[in-house]
Amino acid sequence: MVLSFKPLTTATWHDFESLLGAYEGCKGCWCMHWRLTFPDWKKQQGEGNRQAMKAYVDAGDVPGILAYAEGRPVAWCGCGPREWYPRLNKSQVAKPVDDQEVLSVNCFFVDRQARGNNIQLELLHEILRFAKQQGYRVVEGYPVEPGERRLDSSTSLVGLAKAFEEAGFHEVARRKEDRPIMRKEIQTG
């Protein structure tokens, strides 16, 4: 599968809405899970979360990257500066390792028809290019390492540790058996 990529902006909002909308915005999340407290996220689940994400995009935030195959959006990766995601700070699994400024990679979604094509890895490579363009020195993710258990689509939304490893990330902390915190330092110059 040959992929191309575009950041989520007002120009690509319709593609994001089309991709996630076909799955009810990933159970009403619209990639707002880490941005809100759980009660606030739950209260606006669905249309409220869609509108909140749209407001961020309209304000100029670039909260992730879309992947396209043959001109059609097939995958999404949510990312941004860690300070956009206050819920990460309260997470026992993903709370900060240190005070470094990082680009947090926190959500993946791949259309059912495109799964099985290693798109997470391709998205991670694109995120690394994006991070370098934006001046980040560290990219951080909070993937799952499934071991022998079978994952469902919502469990693997944080990404798979194997894809992060293949993209050159290394483990910097582990606070839960199956959830490493992984980082990749960006080469400057």
Side-chain angles (χ1 to χ4, degrees):
M1 180 176 283
V2 177
L3 298 174
S4 61
F5 303 93
K6 294 180 186 176
L8 176 55
T9 64
T10 55
T12 56
W13 173 259
H14 179 72
D15 295 336
F16 174 75
E17 194 172 39
S18 172
L19 176 65
L20 268 66
Y23 298 89
E24 299 173 5
C26 282
K27 299 180 182 176
C29 183
W30 291 98
C31 216
M32 292 295 296
H33 174 83
W34 295 109
R35 287 184 181 247
L36 302 169
T37 65
F38 183 76
D40 288 343
W41 178 86
K42 190 72 174 160
K43 182 172 66 177
Q44 67 183 40
Q45 189 174 7
E47 181 59 17
N49 282 338
R50 187 194 69 77
Q51 288 178 10
M53 180 57 80
K54 177 81 164 85
Y56 283 118
V57 172
D58 287 347
D61 286 356
V62 179
I65 302 292
L66 290 157
Y68 296 79
E70 298 177 6
R72 182 178 70 87
V74 295
W76 157 255
C77 182
C79 66
R82 187 180 181 94
E83 59 267 16
W84 283 2
Y85 310 107
R87 199 161 164 193
L88 284 173
N89 295 328
K90 296 180 187 230
S91 167
Q92 290 303 307
V93 173
K95 64 186 175 187
V97 174
D98 53 33
D99 61 358
Q100 284 196 73
E101 192 173 310
V102 301
L103 181 77
S104 290
V105 177
N106 53 60
C107 182
F108 290 88
F109 176 78
V110 180
D111 183 76
R112 280 185 192 104
Q113 297 173 352
R115 291 179 189 160
N117 289 295
N118 219 7
I119 292 176
Q120 278 189 16
L121 176 59
E122 296 302 318
L123 274 165
L124 284 167
H125 287 302
E126 184 62 24
I127 293 294
L128 292 169
R129 285 188 284 275
F130 174 77
K132 186 173 186 173
Q133 290 171 350
Q134 300 299 311
Y136 284 93
R137 298 186 60 111
V138 179
V139 179
E140 183 176 88
Y142 322 95
V144 66
E145 193 173 67
E148 298 298 314
R149 74 182 168 119
R150 183 168 167 78
L151 297 175
D152 63 28
S153 60
S154 63
T155 307
S156 61
L157 288 173
V158 292
L160 299 176
K162 181 179 179 190
F164 280 81
E165 288 169 7
E166 290 175 4
F169 286 70
H170 65 279
E171 183 176 327
V172 294
R174 184 182 296 250
R175 299 179 181 117
K176 187 176 177 191
E177 183 179 340
D178 63 345
R179 295 291 305 279
I181 295 177
M182 302 185 80
R183 283 186 175 171
K184 169 116 176 147
E185 300 201 9
I186 304 294
Q187 300 299 318
T188 57

